Amino acid sequence: MAHDRSRLLALLRQRAVLHGDFVLSSGQRSGVYLDARLVTLSAAGSVLVGRVFLDALRGSGAEAVAGLTLGADPIVVAVALLSGLDGFALDGLIVRKERKEHGAGRRIEGPWRPGLRVAVVDDTLTTGGSSLSAARAVEEEGGQVCGVYTLIDREQGARQAIEGAGYDFHAIFTAAELTQTV
């Protein structure tokens, strides 16, 4: 798995690190934007993301992965698909920002059941707000959160907010790892 992690890091450095003037979802400004979707939605990146997250999730007790749409969607699909092929089946769930107002009125889409042990995943965390929202939704629907896992921690307060809310926090990479000169 170390080989997959190093290949994923190289791909993220090559494709996902953008320079300019950006406003983050947290409202903060940054000269660097980490656009993980340029990797998580690519063919090569999706496979590596799925493998690296699966490795991180072994031993977590998770039965499913979930995250707030849109950043988490490619990770959820990659993990669910590769876990099924690997024999370590983790179902994928998508958490809507708001409960659907028609049809079944779900906030969580996918093979949901109360009591499910869920690892919350996301692509990039700044303040942790999106993952905390997903974790609250899982708990409000009767699930158990067994940790929050992010591909990239921007190291701007997400870890502190998530751990402060009582959840285990796991980052595959930090912003410093992606932006350091190799």
Side-chain angles (χ1 to χ4, degrees):
M1 284 302 154
H3 180 67
D4 288 335
R5 187 180 188 285
S6 59
R7 287 179 52 212
L8 181 55
L9 177 58
L11 197 58
L12 286 164
R13 284 178 174 160
Q14 176 187 16
R15 297 185 185 177
V17 180
L18 308 177
H19 298 276
D21 183 29
F22 304 98
V23 177
L24 306 176
S25 63
S26 65
Q28 297 176 12
R29 295 194 83 79
S30 177
V32 175
Y33 182 63
L34 303 173
D35 192 350
R37 286 176 295 257
L38 295 173
V39 173
T40 63
L41 288 166
S42 72
S46 182
V47 170
L48 292 170
V49 164
R51 287 180 182 161
V52 169
F53 268 87
L54 265 180
D55 188 49
L57 290 164
R58 290 190 195 280
S60 70
E63 300 169 287
V65 291
L68 198 64
T69 197
L70 175 78
D73 295 356
I75 296 169
V76 167
V77 172
V79 170
L81 176 65
L82 288 176
S83 73
L85 293 172
D86 188 51
F88 172 48
L90 294 171
D91 287 331
L93 306 166
I94 302 296
V95 180
R96 293 176 177 274
K97 292 179 182 170
E98 296 178 11
R99 185 173 298 283
K100 191 173 168 184
E101 297 205 17
H102 58 281
R106 293 186 186 106
R107 175 127 192 246
I108 300 175
E109 297 292 346
W112 175 259
R113 68 180 187 282
L116 199 61
R117 290 187 44 82
V118 178
V120 173
V121 299
D122 210 334
D123 62 355
T124 305
L125 292 181
T126 303
T127 64
S130 58
S131 287
L132 287 172
S133 178
R136 283 191 294 273
V138 165
E139 290 178 338
E140 287 168 5
E141 296 295 322
Q144 296 176 297
V145 175
C146 57
V148 174
Y149 296 76
T150 187
L151 181 59
I152 304 166
D153 176 11
R154 286 188 62 88
E155 302 173 287
Q156 294 181 320
R159 174 182 294 278
Q160 294 82 353
I162 289 166
E163 289 177 345
Y167 303 112
D168 290 335
F169 180 83
H170 308 271
I172 306 297
F173 301 107
T174 63
E177 287 178 281
L178 268 64
T179 58
Q180 73 185 23
T181 307
V182 187

